[in-house]
């Protein structure tokens, strides 16, 4: 009825060791795959389907911008930024227009008029003037670019203008977001703790589009007017010799504060309440 125990082959310890090692390696591979999948799922490549332009608040928004030459040094190089968000039309399309004016203690140093598609927030038009550099116009519908009223083309012989136009042509073929509008882009993102957003940013007139990683690195509270406690996401971005942390209100999605360190210097942006003109 029962088989003779002597007829059952014995399993040698070396065979058991080999089976255990195979099981161990299989578990390691499975855990690595799970970790890779989890890591991948926590990275979101931002495209038009991932943003919510209704989160943007129309109206005038103002920021105090200043620098420090060290963590504990006095504040220097004050600037005052006014950014006005409007729902508009452009070339027959529903659009969002953002007008910026940057001032220092002596004069206006920068003006810019940026027009974006109201649904995708892709750039349609960008017209900027810098006190130190002059004017730049990039029309993403007509596919034209001008610097100080002179059209830039692929036929330009100046190296700087060639690079500028090549970067612009690349931006025309991709879904990009205007890096000059980062304070307006961040309210549009699908926040959750630990997620990393890969954003294809392009600042018209500057280097070609490139994906930038912004990670939601937990939460913190800011104390606002009247002692109110404001719950914020901490949005972190790092590049060589540069570390940035943005405080983004969980309730309104507004960027309320930036602390940026580059080398031993610091830059701060602080959102202000309504300020008289």
């Amino acid at each position: 009825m029962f088989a003779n125990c002597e007829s059952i082959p014995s399993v040698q310890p070396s065979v058991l060791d080999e089976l255990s090692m195979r099981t161990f390696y299989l578990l390691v591979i499975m855990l690595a795959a799970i970790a890779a999948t989890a890591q991948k799922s926590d990275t979101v490549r931002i495209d038009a389907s991932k943003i919510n332009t209704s989160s943007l608040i129309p109206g005038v928004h103002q920021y105090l911008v200043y620098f420090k030459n060290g963590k504990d040094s006095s504040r220097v190089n004050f600037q005052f930024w006014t950014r006005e968000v409007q729902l508009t039309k452009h070339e027959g399309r529903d659009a969002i227009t953002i007008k910026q004016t940057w001032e220092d203690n002596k004069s206006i140093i920068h003006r810019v008029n940026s027009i974006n598609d109201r649904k995708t927030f892709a750039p349609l038009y960008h017209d900027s003037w810098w006190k130190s550099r002059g004017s730049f116009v990039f029309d993403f519908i007509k596919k034209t670019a001008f610097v100080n009223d002179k059209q830039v083309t692929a036929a330009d012989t100046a190296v700087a203008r060639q690079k500028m136009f090549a970067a612009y042509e690349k931006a025309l073929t991709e879904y990009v977001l205007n890096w000059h509008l980062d304070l307006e882009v961040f309210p549009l993102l699908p926040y959750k703790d630990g997620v990393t957003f890969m954003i294809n940013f392009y600042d018209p007139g500057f280097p070609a589009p490139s994906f930038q990683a912004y990670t939601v690195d937990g939460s913190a509270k800011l104390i606002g007017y009247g002692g109110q406690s404001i719950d914020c996401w901490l949005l972190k971005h790092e590049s060589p010799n540069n570390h940035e942390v943005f405080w983004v209100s969980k309730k309104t999605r507004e960027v309320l504060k930036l602390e940026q360190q580059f080398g031993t210097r610091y830059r701060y942006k602080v959102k202000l309440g309504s300020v008289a003109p």
Side-chain angles (χ1 to χ4, degrees):
M1 184 174 177
F2 296 98
N4 189 334
C5 292
E6 293 182 357
S7 66
I8 301 175
S10 61
V11 179
Q12 298 300 318
S14 60
V15 175
L16 289 174
D17 291 343
E18 183 178 349
L19 290 173
S20 298
M21 289 302 295
R22 287 179 180 176
T23 302
F24 172 76
Y25 286 129
L26 181 60
L27 286 173
V28 169
I29 292 170
M30 290 174 63
L31 289 173
I34 293 171
T37 301
Q39 183 177 9
K40 184 177 180 181
S41 65
D42 286 335
T43 298
V44 176
R45 187 184 179 101
I46 296 299
D47 57 32
S49 69
K50 304 293 194 309
I51 63 173
N52 179 12
T53 57
S54 65
S55 297
L56 204 56
I57 301 174
V60 176
H61 306 274
Q62 298 170 315
Y63 288 83
L64 174 65
V65 181
Y66 60 89
F67 294 78
K68 285 186 173 185
N69 292 322
K71 183 71 173 178
D72 299 319
S73 76
S74 60
R75 296 168 176 85
V76 295
N77 298 334
F78 294 92
Q79 296 178 3
F80 187 80
W81 292 7
T82 301
R83 308 167 79 98
E84 184 176 6
V85 178
Q86 302 172 320
L87 301 180
T88 60
K89 289 276 191 179
H90 180 73
E91 300 287 348
R93 306 184 188 201
D94 289 335
I96 298 175
T97 296
I98 298 166
K99 297 181 178 181
Q100 300 184 53
T101 302
W102 300 7
E103 309 167 56
D104 63 15
N105 63 318
K106 295 181 180 179
S107 64
I108 293 174
I109 58 176
H110 180 45
R111 290 187 188 275
V112 60
N113 181 44
S114 304
I115 305 176
N116 312 274
D117 184 89
R118 195 181 301 181
K119 183 177 180 180
T120 69
F121 213 63
L124 303 177
Y125 183 84
H126 185 84
D127 180 355
S128 65
W129 170 85
W130 297 84
K131 184 177 180 180
S132 59
R133 302 177 65 224
S135 64
F136 297 75
V137 178
F138 294 85
D139 192 319
F140 289 78
I141 296 176
K142 296 178 181 177
K143 299 182 168 70
T144 57
F146 291 82
V147 175
N148 293 322
D149 299 323
K150 182 179 179 181
Q151 187 166 0
V152 182
T153 70
D156 274 299
T157 57
V159 174
R161 293 169 71 89
Q162 285 178 347
K163 289 182 178 180
M164 181 187 299
F165 193 74
Y168 174 53
E169 283 192 311
K170 187 174 189 293
L172 291 172
T173 65
E174 302 175 359
Y175 174 77
V176 299
L177 291 169
N178 189 339
W179 209 348
H180 211 65
L181 303 177
D182 58 346
L183 298 181
E184 287 75 34
V185 168
F186 297 148
L188 316 180
L189 304 177
Y191 285 86
K192 67 175 182 177
D193 196 22
V195 68
T196 294
F197 303 122
M198 296 301 299
I199 306 173
N200 195 21
F201 265 138
Y202 170 62
D203 194 344
F206 291 93
S210 63
F211 278 92
Q212 303 292 324
Y214 287 81
T215 299
V216 180
D217 191 27
S219 303
K221 293 185 183 296
L222 283 178
I223 304 301
Y225 298 109
Q228 62 175 315
S229 180
I230 305 172
D231 199 12
C232 296
W233 296 112
L234 296 179
L235 187 63
K236 182 176 68 175
H237 172 63
E238 293 183 322
S239 57
N241 200 40
N242 178 63
H243 176 81
E244 298 171 286
V245 179
F246 296 84
W247 277 255
V248 182
S249 168
K250 291 185 179 181
K251 181 178 180 180
T252 67
R253 298 299 180 96
E254 298 169 282
V255 177
L256 300 180
K257 178 183 175 182
L258 160 70
E259 180 174 328
Q260 178 182 13
Q261 180 181 4
F262 43 103
T264 59
R265 298 190 67 204
Y266 291 80
R267 181 173 69 154
Y268 298 85
K269 299 177 185 176
V270 180
K271 191 175 190 300
L272 302 174
S274 179
V275 178

